[in-house]
Amino acid sequence: MRELLRELVLADAPPGRENEVREIVIRELEPLVDELHVDTLGNVIGTRTGRTEKTIMLIAHQDEDWALLLTYISNEGYLRFNRLIGHRWNILGQRITIHGQQGKTPGVVGLSAPHIIPLNEYQQGYEPDFDKMFIDCGAQSAEEARAMGLEIGQYVTAEKHLQELTNERLLGNCFDDRVGLVAMIETFRRIRSETLPMRVVGVASVQEELGTRGAGPAAFGVEPDFVIALDVSPTGDHPNIKAGLVPARLGDGPVLLKADQFHVTSPLMNSWIITVAEQHGLSLQEVALRAPIHFGTDAAAVEVVKSGSKATSLLVPTRYFHTTNELIQYSDLEATVHLLVECIRSLDQLGE
């Protein structure tokens, strides 16, 4: 599971260009399901048959949570961009990868040395507007940049990394939502030889970070009765977070999301998951997020497709997501998988 997480973290998958991650998901999921296909948008959909036609869908998204889009090439070879997704305060000085016509091109989001920033701006807290930010890829002219295969409209992602810290904590990129993909795939791996009470479908969705665009079309084809979205949860266990605003913590196990900005999750699903956790002595954090927190998952988009479904979200607590340096505790990911597996084994307990 660790090696799969590492491989997924080091792959690039900006929203709408998830092919690197998609290839890994297909390779890992296909041997574990009875049928697998990729829809027109790029959602990967794997199905295990069950004793009934009732369907539960596990969904995690392929795309990552920090990406830019090239918008202009200057005569001097510098590149301007728009932010697709990610924390605006985590762009300056970042080492990046441009996905060009000739493959991947490294570069950096330029940041002036403090010595040459006007003193009054520096003392006030220098923060340039987006229209002043630029990428330096080494090109010395627009012609040279284009000869390198760079064009307007190409994706830019952060340079990838994954490091092990103390206390089983991992520092890396885009745990949002590589941890959800790992949890989904590992769950299918652990139940592959078991007879299932109902159909279990795993979906690796696309473009979640652009407004859950892939989840709806996937659900339209699957028509699930029940849904668990697998994603990350913000935590409140680090400095500068108002007490009580985000009760989730690293190391306390998966987070059952009961409400967010877009969705009040299914009481039936939540009660079932809580019961399974209690039966097996598993840790579970119950969280309802409120304003000013802006957060949501694929669950809200899936729940209202066709005649609807009962949906909830099970999340891995994660610090600093939507930046280029996110932090998780590996035991939380393991605990999430353990709970998911027991939930699948307890589908007979899930009522109407």
Side-chain angles (χ1 to χ4, degrees):
M1 198 161 74
R2 281 179 183 266
E3 286 308 308
L4 177 58
L5 178 62
R6 177 175 294 277
E7 186 178 9
L8 286 168
V9 164
L10 297 181
D12 291 313
R17 194 182 189 278
E18 298 93 347
N19 51 294
E20 286 187 28
V21 163
R22 181 160 48 248
E23 290 173 4
I24 298 170
V25 171
I26 292 170
R27 183 197 72 206
E28 295 292 321
L29 189 59
E30 193 164 27
L32 308 176
V33 296
D34 300 311
E35 187 270 336
L36 183 141
H37 73 279
V38 180
D39 69 12
T40 304
L41 274 180
N43 295 303
V44 180
I45 303 170
T47 302
R48 278 285 314 275
T49 56
R51 293 195 303 267
T52 71
E53 287 302 307
K54 286 284 187 183
T55 300
I56 185 167
M57 185 169 85
L58 310 181
I59 183 168
H61 63 90
Q62 302 172 48
D63 54 318
E64 59 199 66
D65 59 355
W66 194 103
L68 313 173
L69 194 73
L70 294 187
T71 59
Y72 180 74
I73 303 175
S74 76
N75 291 334
E76 298 77 23
Y78 296 108
L79 313 172
R80 301 287 188 180
F81 58 85
N82 280 340
R83 177 175 62 106
L84 271 183
I85 191 69
H87 205 313
R88 65 167 296 162
W89 296 329
N90 187 230
I91 294 178
L92 286 173
Q94 293 295 328
R95 292 191 291 191
I96 54 85
T97 300
I98 307 163
H99 298 266
Q101 292 291 335
Q102 299 176 18
K104 297 183 180 183
T105 298
V108 64
V109 179
L111 175 60
S112 299
H115 313 73
I116 60 175
I117 297 173
L119 185 60
N120 63 324
E121 292 185 26
Y122 188 74
Q123 290 174 335
Q124 292 171 7
Y126 177 67
E127 184 187 337
D129 297 327
F130 277 112
D131 61 0
K132 295 180 181 178
M133 294 186 191
F134 61 90
I135 290 170
D136 188 342
C137 65
Q140 299 185 61
S141 67
E143 291 74 17
E144 184 179 359
R146 293 191 177 96
M148 295 164 62
L150 305 184
E151 299 176 359
I152 291 170
Q154 290 172 340
Y155 290 100
V156 178
T157 54
E159 183 180 81
K160 298 300 191 293
H161 67 99
L162 181 64
Q163 298 167 281
E164 295 193 18
L165 307 181
T166 189
N167 296 316
E168 282 281 284
R169 293 183 173 180
L170 302 177
L171 176 68
N173 308 73
C174 53
F175 289 136
D176 180 6
D177 186 26
R178 306 298 198 260
V179 293
L181 291 173
V182 170
M184 181 182 73
I185 292 168
E186 184 63 21
T187 297
F188 274 90
R189 193 183 315 281
R190 296 186 188 185
I191 63 170
R192 62 181 161 182
S193 61
E194 301 181 20
T195 301
L196 304 176
M198 65 176 70
R199 192 167 68 132
V200 180
V201 178
V203 174
S205 65
V206 296
Q207 300 186 46
E208 190 268 357
E209 298 292 0
L210 295 184
T212 62
R213 290 172 56 85
F220 193 90
V222 173
E223 296 187 69
D225 300 283
F226 310 103
V227 177
I228 301 177
L230 305 171
D231 214 314
V232 298
S233 167
T235 68
D237 58 352
H238 56 84
N240 306 322
I241 302 297
K242 184 179 178 181
L245 186 63
V246 188
R249 300 177 57 85
L250 292 191
D252 286 354
V255 173
L256 179 63
L257 184 63
K258 292 190 167 181
D260 60 39
Q261 181 186 10
F262 306 102
H263 187 211
V264 176
T265 57
S266 164
L268 174 72
M269 295 287 290
N270 293 338
S271 177
W272 168 63
I273 292 173
I274 291 168
T275 298
V276 172
E278 290 174 346
Q279 288 173 343
H280 295 274
L282 302 177
S283 298
L284 183 64
Q285 305 183 70
E286 300 174 39
V287 169
L289 298 176
R290 64 185 191 278
I293 298 172
H294 305 288
F295 179 84
T297 74
D298 274 336
V302 168
E303 188 177 59
V304 294
V305 171
K306 281 194 171 180
S307 57
S309 59
K310 295 178 173 65
T312 192
S313 297
L314 192 64
L315 314 175
V316 178
T318 304
R319 292 179 185 166
Y320 325 129
F321 60 89
H322 283 226
T323 77
T324 56
N325 293 283
E326 305 173 358
L327 197 148
I328 64 169
Q329 186 159 322
Y330 188 72
S331 62
D332 290 328
L333 177 55
E334 289 183 314
T336 302
V337 173
H338 190 175
L339 178 56
L340 273 172
V341 170
E342 296 303 338
C343 284
I344 298 302
R345 290 170 175 164
S346 304
L347 283 169
D348 285 332
Q349 299 179 26
L350 183 55
E352 296 296 330

